[in-house]
Amino acid sequence: RQLQEESDRLQTLRGGRESNLQARAAYDRAAAELEALRRLVPTTTQLELLARVAESGIFDRSAASVAASGAPIVNLAPGSPTTATAADTAVRLREWAYSDGQLKMTLALPGNSLPLLQVTRRLEGVPGLGPLQVGQEGAGNTIALSTRVDGGDATLSPVGAAR
């Protein structure tokens, strides 16, 4: 009788062990699938990246507010008028494209004294952007910038997408 009880108990323990092993294998499969899905979700959305670029201050209109207040802004460009209007003092984003971990932007620089070096230095400080490649577009005050997005995946999430 005691042998039968021990045998039954051993059978119960083996059954519990088997179900635990099956549960562990199911957990490992689910964890691997979850990790694969997490790798598909980028760490940065386009909206977050654009906000970081804006926070760099390259679109800052503080110079525009000075112009609007009536204080003249000296324009150092050769052959240009000596003062600038408020519209002339802001960097404008003309194009924004992201594909395969590469960000490309086209910026229209103001016609006044804001130097290209200041814009590129501010952008180099943006978290998530790699080294910048800068080129000039057809118009003298339009530049094209391209960079790798560090920590981004094949594509960034669409604007407003949940993470």
Side-chain angles (χ1 to χ4, degrees), residues 21 83 87 98 158:
L21 288 174
T83 59
Y98 184 84

Side-chain angles (χ1 to χ4, degrees), residues 22 25 32 34 39 58 62 79-80 83 87 100 112 123:
Q22 289 174 355
L34 179 61
R39 283 192 301 268
I58 64 167
S62 60
S80 298
T83 59
D100 297 324
N112 65 2
L123 287 173

Side-chain angles (χ1 to χ4, degrees), residues 78-102:
S80 298
T82 56
T83 59
T85 65
D88 294 332
T89 62
V91 173
R92 291 184 305 268
L93 179 65
R94 297 254 175 159
E95 184 180 341
W96 174 277
Y98 184 84
S99 177
D100 297 324
Q102 187 78 17

